[in-house]
Amino acid sequence: MPEIASREHEKHLVMIVEKALYRADVPKKNLDAIAVTRGPGLMGTLLTGVSFASGLSEGLKVPCLGIDHMEAHIFANFIAYPELNYPFLSLLVSGGHTQIWKVNGFGNYELLGETRDDAAGEAFDKGARILGLDYPGGPSIEKAAAGGDESSVTFPQAFQKSDNIEFSFSGLKTALLNYVRKEGDVAIRQNLADIAASYQAAIIDILLKKLRLAADQTGIRTAVIGGGVAANQKMREEAEATLDDCTVLYPDSNLCTDNAAMVAFVGELYLKFSSERSRDLAVIPNLRLADQ
Ligand code: KG4
Ligand code: ZN
């Protein structure tokens, strides 16, 4: 509910910033700049953040840097692995995105492929709703799937045989809906772990097959995974098996889902290497990395 999300941002923003500065033991006057997400995301929440950050930066007389939060998801990996070398592949999997990028350097990205419809996180969220599980769906499905047999239900995996790096998750969601309608509530409750495990495996399998394809097509042997879905433990384990000849990296779980540390980190890179692009503070809900 976008309207409620904006109001909650307004309500909590000042307190959260104060608390973060207090915990970090950094007085406001020591800040070099304020980095803020200007997209992609919900218009209202982005506007709240950008307005707040602009006001704060003006008051403190420091630059305000507009950041693409998907770029921040890619670079969250450098927080954990400062020695990461270019080029590398990046699988970006969140509530709104499913993309594979070739990252040649800071600000130099090639989109290798993306989803045609739903994002992987959206598939988790919609699947959880169909199964009567809580939002956000990713952690709920992961928890429900523990101990389940992932081969118990065969769900479709779009484009699994194609040599293109592209995804589609809307058919998977419909297949789950049809399955639930056919089997009925009681059977679903009894076999929840098996169904959740099979559904989760269908999402993870296709993500990793396409990352494997990207590694084979480009010859690049380092892959990072970022975005909320990268918090999935099962995907982390499978990634190492599917890409056994590659180095696969992912940030700590709390740096996978949306967080301010990764935005501050990219802000620091802009401060160091180029401030041009980050001067734009226009809020763009569907900001695209390649278009910049
Ligand atoms: O990056 P993020 O926090 O926000 C967006 O930019 O969208 O990603 C949120 C998405 C949600 O769809 C959520 O269900 C999914 O990440 N997610 C997970 C897990 N934790 C969060 N998906 C699978 N397994 C998880 N453990
Ligand atoms: Zn995100």
Side-chain angles (χ1 to χ4, degrees):
M1 291 191 196
E3 181 57 33
I4 293 179
S6 314
R7 283 191 218 161
E8 289 295 300
H9 269 58
E10 272 178 45
K11 205 159 85 191
H12 296 292
L13 205 43
V14 175
M15 189 259 295
I16 285 176
V17 169
E18 291 292 347
K19 219 171 171 175
L21 289 169
Y22 176 78
R23 279 204 202 157
D25 199 17
V26 174
K28 282 195 199 80
K29 66 175 173 44
N30 285 8
L31 297 177
D32 298 316
I34 315 284
V36 61
T37 299
R38 71 179 186 99
L42 295 172
M43 176 64 99
T45 46
L46 293 170
L47 274 174
T48 309
V50 169
S51 311
F52 177 81
S54 310
L56 187 58
S57 76
E58 219 153 282
L60 296 172
K61 304 207 173 3
V62 295
C64 188
L65 312 168
I67 307 292
D68 180 317
H69 107 261
M70 299 317 288
E71 189 170 27
H73 276 307
I74 296 177
F75 281 84
N77 284 282
F78 279 92
I79 302 177
Y81 310 100
E83 70 288 357
L84 184 59
N85 281 320
Y86 301 108
F88 58 84
L89 298 171
S90 175
L91 171 65
L92 269 186
V93 271
S94 70
H97 292 74
T98 300
Q99 299 174 324
I100 296 181
W101 292 88
K102 178 168 172 252
V103 180
N104 299 313
F106 179 53
N108 183 346
Y109 318 121
E110 283 169 55
L111 183 63
L112 301 181
E114 64 183 331
T115 182
R116 286 193 182 186
D117 42 54
D118 292 353
E122 207 175 347
F124 272 107
D125 295 336
K126 289 178 175 170
R129 197 189 302 164
I130 293 170
L131 293 172
L133 301 170
D134 288 341
Y135 180 88
S140 302
I141 290 190
E142 185 171 19
K143 200 164 147 218
D149 172 8
E150 63 181 48
S151 62
S152 69
V153 189
T154 308
F155 286 114
Q157 289 183 13
F159 306 126
Q160 63 165 318
K161 296 226 163 66
S162 103
D163 270 348
N164 292 339
I165 299 171
E166 54 185 336
F167 305 91
S168 165
F169 291 103
S170 64
L172 172 64
K173 171 198 65 192
T174 309
L176 178 67
L177 188 61
N178 290 340
Y179 181 83
V180 167
R181 283 190 182 141
K182 191 170 126 248
E183 297 294 319
D185 284 350
V186 177
I188 298 302
R189 268 200 300 278
Q190 277 167 355
N191 303 310
L192 185 61
D194 291 347
I195 300 162
S198 304
Y199 187 76
Q200 172 175 261
I203 299 174
I204 292 172
D205 274 9
I206 195 70
L207 291 173
L208 296 177
K209 269 183 195 144
K210 295 296 173 177
L211 188 57
R212 170 81 260 172
L213 184 63
D216 291 341
Q217 287 181 355
T218 59
I220 296 175
R221 289 288 174 266
T222 305
V224 306
I225 308 183
V229 179
N232 189 286
Q233 205 51 46
K234 177 81 184 158
M235 182 160 86
R236 291 165 174 242
E237 287 159 19
E238 294 289 321
E240 283 172 22
T242 311
L243 290 111
D244 54 350
D245 57 338
C246 300
T247 306
V248 187
L249 306 170
Y250 24 71
D252 275 356
S253 291
N254 57 357
L255 289 174
C256 288
T257 45
D258 284 350
N259 65 87
M262 65 181 190
V263 177
F265 185 83
V266 172
E268 195 180 357
L269 292 180
Y270 275 110
L271 221 47
K272 265 196 216 153
F273 299 116
S274 91
S275 53
E276 271 319 300
R277 263 189 321 140
S278 63
R279 288 220 186 97
D280 193 350
L281 289 177
V283 162
I284 304 189
N286 56 358
L287 188 63
R288 278 181 66 87
L289 212 46
D291 297 344
Q292 291 174 23

